[in-house]
Amino acid sequence: MWAPLRILTRAAFRDRISLFWSVLFPVGLLAGLGIAFPDPGYRQLLLIGVMVFSAVSFAAMGTAFVVMAQRRQGVYKLLRATPYRTAAFVANLAAARGLVTLASVALVAAAGAVGFGIPLAPAAVLRMVPGLALGILCCTLIGFVVGNLAGSEPQVSMINNLIFLPMFFASEMFYRLDGAPAWVRAVSRLLPVQHLVTALRSAVSGDGTGMLPALAALLVWTGVALGLAVATFRWDPDGPVVTLPRPGRARAVAGG
Amino acid sequence: MKRYGNRTVVREVSLAIHPGEVVAIIGPNGAGKSTTLEMILGLRRPDGGEVVYRLPDARRSVGVQLQSTPFFPDLTAAENLELFAAFYGVRLTPAEVGAILDRCGLGEVARTPASRLSGGQQKRLAIAVTLVHRPRVIFLDEPTAALDPRTRQEIRHLIRSLAADGTAVVFTSHEMEEVLRLADRVVLIHRGRVRAAGTPAELLARHGAASLEDLYLRLTGTEVD
């Protein structure tokens, strides 16, 4: 029962490119920007920002590449010939990538706390868990959508950039938007990345009233992403497929 | 029957597969071989006709090797086998994984990531994946395409040994020599229709052909791909 999750998690831990973008790059960013802007208040904000960057990199961007590659290689087509339910496969793949994303974010947080002395209380870490879990799930599902829409690696890169670069720039990942035009702040409030930032920042500050709306928005986004992921899912780049006859019966797959 | 738009790619294809026999499906590129296989496997929806499995549990009784080599590149050969076994609801012990890999000539690369396997090794791993749940019918889509002579020979031995164990093997190929050596029955498909079917000896006698290649060229009017 757990074998697919166990083995897919192992595969996700070996996704070196995603790990680079979700662990090494955020830690480098933390070091570089932390040195450039030594203000303790900014470092706290920066840590949340790089944690979100880590989550988006592995859960969304990395998953998009994996889903596109698996479809192109025919993994889903072959899977369709087995009795394994595709929903179970998708759930296991999402869970596996989610677990490794969580580990990546934890490493980044640990690097910030231990390596750069950014205060992160155990209670704050616990409060982050719901927001992180929901945010990672939401990002993974967005990754599925991108992987479903793209037909090649360059297309994955292009769609990832089109979706996430505006989200990064219009969020408070690395700076505050207090001085930004009103429309930028309005757009920001619609996007899941900003809600993840808000949820984590509220968890650190202990601001429950700030966290709940952010979690609710993330929940809505997760539902939207799930619907889009299901609607755009393709087994085969060439077209639709059907199932084999149910076990125990000899019958036509299709009649004409 | 299968249509893509106004083009009918498969029509009037009828074949039965029995336990322990090796059936070769041959024909030019675009003849409808892979589409026929994919319809049999339920991977493509037929526009007409029917596929009947006289097996208790079709999905658990059928093994499939597609033309592509769909693996999880970050997993080793052994892990890929273990994962696909799990998809069939089978839990393989390390000894069983090792035995399947050994049978397919992959024992030495059991711990090598699938992405680092050679083309021939990936093809053998694709065949190994078909064996994880001890299927009663195996469909192999061009199992020896683009492989060196030694690997082709090893795969032919494997196919014969599977048939000797009672497994029905259906494969597509462009290699007439290979078809002659391996197949108990040959089905020649051209432009979506079965143009000839029978044992190699029957076909040669019926059409007065000197070789399978001669028969192929005569019935398809094309050169061997």
Side-chain angles (χ1 to χ4, degrees), chain B residues 17-24 103 127 130-131 134-140 154-171 181-185:
Chain B
I17 300 149
H18 307 288
E21 72 172 347
V22 179
V23 178
R103 188 175 189 185
I127 296 174
T130 69
L131 307 178
R134 299 183 183 205
R136 295 173 65 184
V137 190
I138 293 176
F139 293 90
L140 307 173
E154 287 168 0
I155 289 177
R156 286 175 198 148
H157 282 310
L158 179 63
I159 290 174
R160 286 292 357 158
S161 76
L162 289 167
D165 291 345
T167 307
V169 181
V170 181
F171 72 101
R181 281 189 197 180
L182 270 179
D184 299 316
R185 274 195 305 131

mmCIF file of all heavy atoms in Angstrom, chain B residues 17-24 103 127 130-131 134-140 154-171 181-185:
data_model
loop_
_atom_site.group_PDB
_atom_site.id
_atom_site.type_symbol
_atom_site.label_atom_id
_atom_site.label_comp_id
_atom_site.label_asym_id
_atom_site.label_seq_id
_atom_site.Cartn_x
_atom_site.Cartn_y
_atom_site.Cartn_z
ATOM 1 N N ILE B 17 -5.431 -14.760 -29.763
ATOM 2 C CA ILE B 17 -4.130 -15.087 -29.171
ATOM 3 C C ILE B 17 -4.338 -16.192 -28.150
ATOM 4 O O ILE B 17 -5.222 -16.083 -27.287
ATOM 5 C CB ILE B 17 -3.508 -13.847 -28.509
ATOM 6 C CG1 ILE B 17 -3.310 -12.752 -29.562
ATOM 7 C CG2 ILE B 17 -2.188 -14.194 -27.849
ATOM 8 C CD1 ILE B 17 -3.436 -11.360 -29.022
ATOM 9 N N HIS B 18 -3.520 -17.255 -28.243
ATOM 10 C CA HIS B 18 -3.694 -18.418 -27.368
ATOM 11 C C HIS B 18 -2.502 -18.565 -26.430
ATOM 12 O O HIS B 18 -1.403 -18.096 -26.743
ATOM 13 C CB HIS B 18 -3.861 -19.676 -28.224
ATOM 14 C CG HIS B 18 -4.957 -19.547 -29.249
ATOM 15 N ND1 HIS B 18 -6.288 -19.553 -28.912
ATOM 16 C CD2 HIS B 18 -4.900 -19.347 -30.588
ATOM 17 C CE1 HIS B 18 -7.020 -19.384 -30.006
ATOM 18 N NE2 HIS B 18 -6.199 -19.250 -31.041
ATOM 19 N N PRO B 19 -2.706 -19.240 -25.299
ATOM 20 C CA PRO B 19 -1.616 -19.395 -24.326
ATOM 21 C C PRO B 19 -0.377 -20.062 -24.936
ATOM 22 O O PRO B 19 -0.506 -21.007 -25.719
ATOM 23 C CB PRO B 19 -2.222 -20.309 -23.246
ATOM 24 C CG PRO B 19 -3.696 -20.148 -23.383
ATOM 25 C CD PRO B 19 -3.950 -19.889 -24.831
ATOM 26 N N GLY B 20 0.770 -19.539 -24.578
ATOM 27 C CA GLY B 20 2.029 -20.168 -24.961
ATOM 28 C C GLY B 20 2.464 -19.936 -26.401
ATOM 29 O O GLY B 20 3.494 -20.452 -26.818
ATOM 30 N N GLU B 21 1.730 -19.167 -27.163
ATOM 31 C CA GLU B 21 2.151 -18.949 -28.554
ATOM 32 C C GLU B 21 2.781 -17.567 -28.721
ATOM 33 O O GLU B 21 2.491 -16.636 -27.963
ATOM 34 C CB GLU B 21 1.005 -19.159 -29.536
ATOM 35 C CG GLU B 21 -0.047 -18.083 -29.536
ATOM 36 C CD GLU B 21 -1.043 -18.283 -30.670
ATOM 37 O OE1 GLU B 21 -0.792 -19.090 -31.579
ATOM 38 O OE2 GLU B 21 -2.090 -17.600 -30.632
ATOM 39 N N VAL B 22 3.620 -17.499 -29.733
ATOM 40 C CA VAL B 22 4.270 -16.220 -30.053
ATOM 41 C C VAL B 22 3.689 -15.724 -31.371
ATOM 42 O O VAL B 22 3.785 -16.413 -32.387
ATOM 43 C CB VAL B 22 5.802 -16.400 -30.174
ATOM 44 C CG1 VAL B 22 6.459 -15.070 -30.528
ATOM 45 C CG2 VAL B 22 6.376 -16.955 -28.878
ATOM 46 N N VAL B 23 3.062 -14.574 -31.325
ATOM 47 C CA VAL B 23 2.404 -14.017 -32.504
ATOM 48 C C VAL B 23 3.139 -12.735 -32.910
ATOM 49 O O VAL B 23 3.346 -11.856 -32.073
ATOM 50 C CB VAL B 23 0.919 -13.682 -32.212
ATOM 51 C CG1 VAL B 23 0.249 -13.058 -33.439
ATOM 52 C CG2 VAL B 23 0.165 -14.931 -31.780
ATOM 53 N N ALA B 24 3.534 -12.688 -34.154
ATOM 54 C CA ALA B 24 4.208 -11.480 -34.662
ATOM 55 C C ALA B 24 3.228 -10.673 -35.499
ATOM 56 O O ALA B 24 2.520 -11.236 -36.337
ATOM 57 C CB ALA B 24 5.400 -11.873 -35.512
ATOM 58 N N ARG B 103 17.014 -12.573 -15.210
ATOM 59 C CA ARG B 103 16.405 -13.223 -16.370
ATOM 60 C C ARG B 103 16.464 -12.324 -17.612
ATOM 61 O O ARG B 103 16.566 -12.802 -18.733
ATOM 62 C CB ARG B 103 14.949 -13.566 -16.041
ATOM 63 C CG ARG B 103 14.294 -14.406 -17.106
ATOM 64 C CD ARG B 103 12.906 -14.841 -16.714
ATOM 65 N NE ARG B 103 12.423 -15.819 -17.682
ATOM 66 C CZ ARG B 103 11.207 -16.329 -17.668
ATOM 67 N NH1 ARG B 103 10.361 -15.971 -16.729
ATOM 68 N NH2 ARG B 103 10.840 -17.202 -18.576
ATOM 69 N N ILE B 127 11.014 -4.677 -20.792
ATOM 70 C CA ILE B 127 10.476 -6.043 -20.850
ATOM 71 C C ILE B 127 10.396 -6.626 -19.435
ATOM 72 O O ILE B 127 9.423 -7.293 -19.084
ATOM 73 C CB ILE B 127 11.334 -6.918 -21.781
ATOM 74 C CG1 ILE B 127 11.253 -6.364 -23.212
ATOM 75 C CG2 ILE B 127 10.865 -8.375 -21.751
ATOM 76 C CD1 ILE B 127 12.161 -7.046 -24.212
ATOM 77 N N THR B 130 7.320 -5.813 -17.711
ATOM 78 C CA THR B 130 6.124 -6.576 -18.112
ATOM 79 C C THR B 130 5.991 -7.874 -17.313
ATOM 80 O O THR B 130 4.931 -8.483 -17.308
ATOM 81 C CB THR B 130 6.144 -6.938 -19.619
ATOM 82 O OG1 THR B 130 7.173 -7.910 -19.847
ATOM 83 C CG2 THR B 130 6.362 -5.734 -20.493
ATOM 84 N N LEU B 131 7.076 -8.293 -16.662
ATOM 85 C CA LEU B 131 7.069 -9.605 -16.001
ATOM 86 C C LEU B 131 6.770 -9.548 -14.508
ATOM 87 O O LEU B 131 6.611 -10.591 -13.875
ATOM 88 C CB LEU B 131 8.437 -10.288 -16.192
ATOM 89 C CG LEU B 131 8.941 -10.410 -17.629
ATOM 90 C CD1 LEU B 131 10.315 -11.069 -17.659
ATOM 91 C CD2 LEU B 131 7.961 -11.219 -18.463
ATOM 92 N N ARG B 134 3.754 -11.566 -13.303
ATOM 93 C CA ARG B 134 3.588 -12.883 -13.949
ATOM 94 C C ARG B 134 2.380 -12.904 -14.879
ATOM 95 O O ARG B 134 1.424 -13.659 -14.658
ATOM 96 C CB ARG B 134 3.451 -13.978 -12.898
ATOM 97 C CG ARG B 134 4.668 -14.064 -12.018
ATOM 98 C CD ARG B 134 4.550 -15.170 -11.042
ATOM 99 N NE ARG B 134 5.701 -15.198 -10.167
ATOM 100 C CZ ARG B 134 6.134 -16.261 -9.546
ATOM 101 N NH1 ARG B 134 5.518 -17.403 -9.704
ATOM 102 N NH2 ARG B 134 7.180 -16.198 -8.757
ATOM 103 N N PRO B 135 2.401 -12.075 -15.914
ATOM 104 C CA PRO B 135 1.232 -11.988 -16.796
ATOM 105 C C PRO B 135 1.074 -13.235 -17.653
ATOM 106 O O PRO B 135 2.023 -14.009 -17.825
ATOM 107 C CB PRO B 135 1.560 -10.782 -17.671
ATOM 108 C CG PRO B 135 3.041 -10.769 -17.728
ATOM 109 C CD PRO B 135 3.517 -11.242 -16.390
ATOM 110 N N ARG B 136 -0.108 -13.428 -18.209
ATOM 111 C CA ARG B 136 -0.364 -14.575 -19.090
ATOM 112 C C ARG B 136 -0.267 -14.176 -20.557
ATOM 113 O O ARG B 136 -0.153 -15.027 -21.416
ATOM 114 C CB ARG B 136 -1.737 -15.159 -18.758
ATOM 115 C CG ARG B 136 -1.724 -15.724 -17.334
ATOM 116 C CD ARG B 136 -3.087 -16.146 -16.891
ATOM 117 N NE ARG B 136 -3.587 -17.253 -17.680
ATOM 118 C CZ ARG B 136 -4.806 -17.758 -17.544
ATOM 119 N NH1 ARG B 136 -5.623 -17.259 -16.632
ATOM 120 N NH2 ARG B 136 -5.202 -18.751 -18.293
ATOM 121 N N VAL B 137 -0.331 -12.883 -20.792
ATOM 122 C CA VAL B 137 -0.126 -12.365 -22.155
ATOM 123 C C VAL B 137 0.806 -11.161 -22.074
ATOM 124 O O VAL B 137 0.643 -10.311 -21.192
ATOM 125 C CB VAL B 137 -1.450 -11.877 -22.797
ATOM 126 C CG1 VAL B 137 -1.235 -11.583 -24.275
ATOM 127 C CG2 VAL B 137 -2.556 -12.871 -22.613
ATOM 128 N N ILE B 138 1.771 -11.125 -22.985
ATOM 129 C CA ILE B 138 2.682 -9.980 -23.017
ATOM 130 C C ILE B 138 2.651 -9.354 -24.402
ATOM 131 O O ILE B 138 2.725 -10.066 -25.407
ATOM 132 C CB ILE B 138 4.126 -10.410 -22.677
ATOM 133 C CG1 ILE B 138 4.204 -10.853 -21.224
ATOM 134 C CG2 ILE B 138 5.106 -9.279 -22.917
ATOM 135 C CD1 ILE B 138 5.567 -11.389 -20.833
ATOM 136 N N PHE B 139 2.505 -8.048 -24.438
ATOM 137 C CA PHE B 139 2.523 -7.314 -25.702
ATOM 138 C C PHE B 139 3.822 -6.515 -25.767
ATOM 139 O O PHE B 139 4.099 -5.708 -24.881
ATOM 140 C CB PHE B 139 1.326 -6.365 -25.786
ATOM 141 C CG PHE B 139 0.008 -7.084 -25.877
ATOM 142 C CD1 PHE B 139 -0.698 -7.421 -24.740
ATOM 143 C CD2 PHE B 139 -0.517 -7.441 -27.111
ATOM 144 C CE1 PHE B 139 -1.908 -8.097 -24.814
ATOM 145 C CE2 PHE B 139 -1.726 -8.115 -27.196
ATOM 146 C CZ PHE B 139 -2.424 -8.443 -26.045
ATOM 147 N N LEU B 140 4.598 -6.764 -26.797
ATOM 148 C CA LEU B 140 5.885 -6.083 -26.954
ATOM 149 C C LEU B 140 5.869 -5.311 -28.270
ATOM 150 O O LEU B 140 5.721 -5.913 -29.342
ATOM 151 C CB LEU B 140 7.025 -7.107 -26.971
ATOM 152 C CG LEU B 140 7.078 -8.102 -25.785
ATOM 153 C CD1 LEU B 140 8.159 -9.148 -26.027
ATOM 154 C CD2 LEU B 140 7.352 -7.369 -24.484
ATOM 155 N N GLU B 154 19.497 -11.911 -27.137
ATOM 156 C CA GLU B 154 19.102 -12.167 -25.743
ATOM 157 C C GLU B 154 17.594 -11.970 -25.559
ATOM 158 O O GLU B 154 16.933 -12.741 -24.852
ATOM 159 C CB GLU B 154 19.890 -11.239 -24.804
ATOM 160 C CG GLU B 154 21.349 -11.646 -24.658
ATOM 161 C CD GLU B 154 22.201 -10.577 -23.977
ATOM 162 O OE1 GLU B 154 21.645 -9.510 -23.616
ATOM 163 O OE2 GLU B 154 23.395 -10.818 -23.826
ATOM 164 N N ILE B 155 17.077 -10.926 -26.201
ATOM 165 C CA ILE B 155 15.634 -10.669 -26.071
ATOM 166 C C ILE B 155 14.830 -11.770 -26.760
ATOM 167 O O ILE B 155 13.802 -12.206 -26.259
ATOM 168 C CB ILE B 155 15.290 -9.263 -26.611
ATOM 169 C CG1 ILE B 155 15.840 -8.219 -25.636
ATOM 170 C CG2 ILE B 155 13.778 -9.079 -26.778
ATOM 171 C CD1 ILE B 155 15.661 -6.793 -26.056
ATOM 172 N N ARG B 156 15.330 -12.265 -27.881
ATOM 173 C CA ARG B 156 14.639 -13.379 -28.556
ATOM 174 C C ARG B 156 14.617 -14.620 -27.660
ATOM 175 O O ARG B 156 13.597 -15.294 -27.551
ATOM 176 C CB ARG B 156 15.353 -13.718 -29.867
ATOM 177 C CG ARG B 156 15.113 -12.699 -30.947
ATOM 178 C CD ARG B 156 15.946 -13.035 -32.164
ATOM 179 N NE ARG B 156 16.062 -11.885 -33.037
ATOM 180 C CZ ARG B 156 17.124 -11.620 -33.797
ATOM 181 N NH1 ARG B 156 18.171 -12.415 -33.793
ATOM 182 N NH2 ARG B 156 17.128 -10.561 -34.563
ATOM 183 N N HIS B 157 15.761 -14.899 -27.011
ATOM 184 C CA HIS B 157 15.812 -16.050 -26.089
ATOM 185 C C HIS B 157 14.785 -15.866 -24.978
ATOM 186 O O HIS B 157 14.101 -16.809 -24.581
ATOM 187 C CB HIS B 157 17.211 -16.202 -25.479
ATOM 188 C CG HIS B 157 18.205 -16.826 -26.416
ATOM 189 N ND1 HIS B 157 17.954 -17.983 -27.101
ATOM 190 C CD2 HIS B 157 19.448 -16.433 -26.790
ATOM 191 C CE1 HIS B 157 19.005 -18.293 -27.858
ATOM 192 N NE2 HIS B 157 19.921 -17.351 -27.688
ATOM 193 N N LEU B 158 14.714 -14.643 -24.488
ATOM 194 C CA LEU B 158 13.773 -14.349 -23.397
ATOM 195 C C LEU B 158 12.334 -14.597 -23.854
ATOM 196 O O LEU B 158 11.530 -15.203 -23.135
ATOM 197 C CB LEU B 158 13.973 -12.895 -22.947
ATOM 198 C CG LEU B 158 13.056 -12.390 -21.838
ATOM 199 C CD1 LEU B 158 13.298 -13.178 -20.550
ATOM 200 C CD2 LEU B 158 13.284 -10.906 -21.588
ATOM 201 N N ILE B 159 12.021 -14.132 -25.051
ATOM 202 C CA ILE B 159 10.652 -14.312 -25.565
ATOM 203 C C ILE B 159 10.340 -15.800 -25.704
ATOM 204 O O ILE B 159 9.262 -16.256 -25.313
ATOM 205 C CB ILE B 159 10.503 -13.581 -26.927
ATOM 206 C CG1 ILE B 159 10.533 -12.061 -26.700
ATOM 207 C CG2 ILE B 159 9.204 -13.991 -27.624
ATOM 208 C CD1 ILE B 159 10.542 -11.230 -27.970
ATOM 209 N N ARG B 160 11.277 -16.559 -26.207
ATOM 210 C CA ARG B 160 11.031 -18.007 -26.368
ATOM 211 C C ARG B 160 10.875 -18.671 -25.008
ATOM 212 O O ARG B 160 10.041 -19.565 -24.838
ATOM 213 C CB ARG B 160 12.177 -18.682 -27.133
ATOM 214 C CG ARG B 160 12.251 -18.441 -28.591
ATOM 215 C CD ARG B 160 11.201 -18.987 -29.522
ATOM 216 N NE ARG B 160 10.123 -19.825 -29.054
ATOM 217 C CZ ARG B 160 8.981 -19.984 -29.704
ATOM 218 N NH1 ARG B 160 8.773 -19.356 -30.845
ATOM 219 N NH2 ARG B 160 8.040 -20.769 -29.253
ATOM 220 N N SER B 161 11.665 -18.245 -24.040
ATOM 221 C CA SER B 161 11.563 -18.881 -22.717
ATOM 222 C C SER B 161 10.227 -18.532 -22.059
ATOM 223 O O SER B 161 9.636 -19.352 -21.357
ATOM 224 C CB SER B 161 12.734 -18.488 -21.818
ATOM 225 O OG SER B 161 12.568 -17.182 -21.321
ATOM 226 N N LEU B 162 9.739 -17.321 -22.306
ATOM 227 C CA LEU B 162 8.433 -16.943 -21.753
ATOM 228 C C LEU B 162 7.328 -17.797 -22.376
ATOM 229 O O LEU B 162 6.431 -18.289 -21.679
ATOM 230 C CB LEU B 162 8.152 -15.459 -22.017
ATOM 231 C CG LEU B 162 8.987 -14.467 -21.221
ATOM 232 C CD1 LEU B 162 8.849 -13.062 -21.795
ATOM 233 C CD2 LEU B 162 8.546 -14.484 -19.766
ATOM 234 N N ALA B 163 7.407 -17.985 -23.680
ATOM 235 C CA ALA B 163 6.401 -18.801 -24.368
ATOM 236 C C ALA B 163 6.469 -20.242 -23.864
ATOM 237 O O ALA B 163 5.433 -20.905 -23.678
ATOM 238 C CB ALA B 163 6.612 -18.734 -25.870
ATOM 239 N N ALA B 164 7.698 -20.719 -23.627
ATOM 240 C CA ALA B 164 7.854 -22.096 -23.136
ATOM 241 C C ALA B 164 7.196 -22.261 -21.765
ATOM 242 O O ALA B 164 6.738 -23.353 -21.404
ATOM 243 C CB ALA B 164 9.333 -22.441 -23.056
ATOM 244 N N ASP B 165 7.134 -21.164 -21.029
ATOM 245 C CA ASP B 165 6.479 -21.204 -19.704
ATOM 246 C C ASP B 165 4.957 -21.061 -19.811
ATOM 247 O O ASP B 165 4.268 -20.997 -18.790
ATOM 248 C CB ASP B 165 7.013 -20.071 -18.815
ATOM 249 C CG ASP B 165 8.448 -20.320 -18.421
ATOM 250 O OD1 ASP B 165 8.915 -21.463 -18.587
ATOM 251 O OD2 ASP B 165 9.108 -19.374 -17.964
ATOM 252 N N GLY B 166 4.433 -20.922 -21.029
ATOM 253 C CA GLY B 166 2.984 -20.832 -21.207
ATOM 254 C C GLY B 166 2.459 -19.424 -21.397
ATOM 255 O O GLY B 166 1.253 -19.210 -21.516
ATOM 256 N N THR B 167 3.368 -18.444 -21.415
ATOM 257 C CA THR B 167 2.933 -17.049 -21.608
ATOM 258 C C THR B 167 2.729 -16.774 -23.106
ATOM 259 O O THR B 167 3.583 -17.151 -23.917
ATOM 260 C CB THR B 167 4.007 -16.078 -21.069
ATOM 261 O OG1 THR B 167 4.318 -16.446 -19.728
ATOM 262 C CG2 THR B 167 3.516 -14.640 -21.113
ATOM 263 N N ALA B 168 1.622 -16.179 -23.455
ATOM 264 C CA ALA B 168 1.414 -15.775 -24.844
ATOM 265 C C ALA B 168 2.172 -14.471 -25.077
ATOM 266 O O ALA B 168 2.127 -13.579 -24.234
ATOM 267 C CB ALA B 168 -0.066 -15.572 -25.123
ATOM 268 N N VAL B 169 2.909 -14.395 -26.179
ATOM 269 C CA VAL B 169 3.678 -13.186 -26.481
ATOM 270 C C VAL B 169 3.238 -12.648 -27.845
ATOM 271 O O VAL B 169 3.223 -13.390 -28.831
ATOM 272 C CB VAL B 169 5.201 -13.474 -26.502
ATOM 273 C CG1 VAL B 169 5.974 -12.181 -26.807
ATOM 274 C CG2 VAL B 169 5.659 -14.076 -25.189
ATOM 275 N N VAL B 170 2.844 -11.403 -27.858
ATOM 276 C CA VAL B 170 2.497 -10.737 -29.110
ATOM 277 C C VAL B 170 3.513 -9.621 -29.310
ATOM 278 O O VAL B 170 3.714 -8.814 -28.405
ATOM 279 C CB VAL B 170 1.074 -10.134 -29.045
ATOM 280 C CG1 VAL B 170 0.721 -9.461 -30.368
ATOM 281 C CG2 VAL B 170 0.056 -11.201 -28.701
ATOM 282 N N PHE B 171 4.186 -9.623 -30.450
ATOM 283 C CA PHE B 171 5.175 -8.564 -30.662
ATOM 284 C C PHE B 171 5.073 -7.999 -32.073
ATOM 285 O O PHE B 171 4.590 -8.665 -32.988
ATOM 286 C CB PHE B 171 6.600 -9.063 -30.376
ATOM 287 C CG PHE B 171 7.164 -10.005 -31.402
ATOM 288 C CD1 PHE B 171 8.059 -9.557 -32.361
ATOM 289 C CD2 PHE B 171 6.807 -11.349 -31.416
ATOM 290 C CE1 PHE B 171 8.595 -10.425 -33.307
ATOM 291 C CE2 PHE B 171 7.329 -12.223 -32.366
ATOM 292 C CZ PHE B 171 8.227 -11.764 -33.308
ATOM 293 N N ARG B 181 12.231 -16.607 -36.995
ATOM 294 C CA ARG B 181 12.817 -17.416 -35.919
ATOM 295 C C ARG B 181 11.876 -17.550 -34.726
ATOM 296 O O ARG B 181 11.842 -18.582 -34.072
ATOM 297 C CB ARG B 181 14.102 -16.756 -35.416
ATOM 298 C CG ARG B 181 15.284 -16.981 -36.291
ATOM 299 C CD ARG B 181 16.495 -16.472 -35.558
ATOM 300 N NE ARG B 181 17.621 -16.282 -36.452
ATOM 301 C CZ ARG B 181 18.787 -15.836 -36.036
ATOM 302 N NH1 ARG B 181 18.969 -15.530 -34.778
ATOM 303 N NH2 ARG B 181 19.774 -15.693 -36.886
ATOM 304 N N LEU B 182 11.151 -16.477 -34.456
ATOM 305 C CA LEU B 182 10.420 -16.434 -33.181
ATOM 306 C C LEU B 182 8.950 -16.824 -33.264
ATOM 307 O O LEU B 182 8.421 -17.476 -32.362
ATOM 308 C CB LEU B 182 10.455 -14.996 -32.633
ATOM 309 C CG LEU B 182 11.598 -14.599 -31.731
ATOM 310 C CD1 LEU B 182 11.442 -13.127 -31.343
ATOM 311 C CD2 LEU B 182 11.617 -15.439 -30.466
ATOM 312 N N ALA B 183 8.302 -16.416 -34.353
ATOM 313 C CA ALA B 183 6.837 -16.430 -34.319
ATOM 314 C C ALA B 183 6.248 -17.805 -34.655
ATOM 315 O O ALA B 183 6.692 -18.481 -35.575
ATOM 316 C CB ALA B 183 6.306 -15.397 -35.306
ATOM 317 N N ASP B 184 5.250 -18.185 -33.867
ATOM 318 C CA ASP B 184 4.438 -19.350 -34.221
ATOM 319 C C ASP B 184 3.433 -18.953 -35.289
ATOM 320 O O ASP B 184 3.088 -19.751 -36.149
ATOM 321 C CB ASP B 184 3.685 -19.860 -32.985
ATOM 322 C CG ASP B 184 4.647 -20.282 -31.878
ATOM 323 O OD1 ASP B 184 5.640 -20.953 -32.197
ATOM 324 O OD2 ASP B 184 4.420 -19.895 -30.719
ATOM 325 N N ARG B 185 2.955 -17.722 -35.174
ATOM 326 C CA ARG B 185 2.007 -17.199 -36.165
ATOM 327 C C ARG B 185 2.398 -15.787 -36.534
ATOM 328 O O ARG B 185 2.927 -15.049 -35.697
ATOM 329 C CB ARG B 185 0.578 -17.196 -35.594
ATOM 330 C CG ARG B 185 -0.141 -18.529 -35.769
ATOM 331 C CD ARG B 185 -1.622 -18.405 -35.548
ATOM 332 N NE ARG B 185 -1.937 -17.835 -34.257
ATOM 333 C CZ ARG B 185 -2.786 -16.826 -34.084
ATOM 334 N NH1 ARG B 185 -3.368 -16.262 -35.119
ATOM 335 N NH2 ARG B 185 -3.054 -16.368 -32.877
#
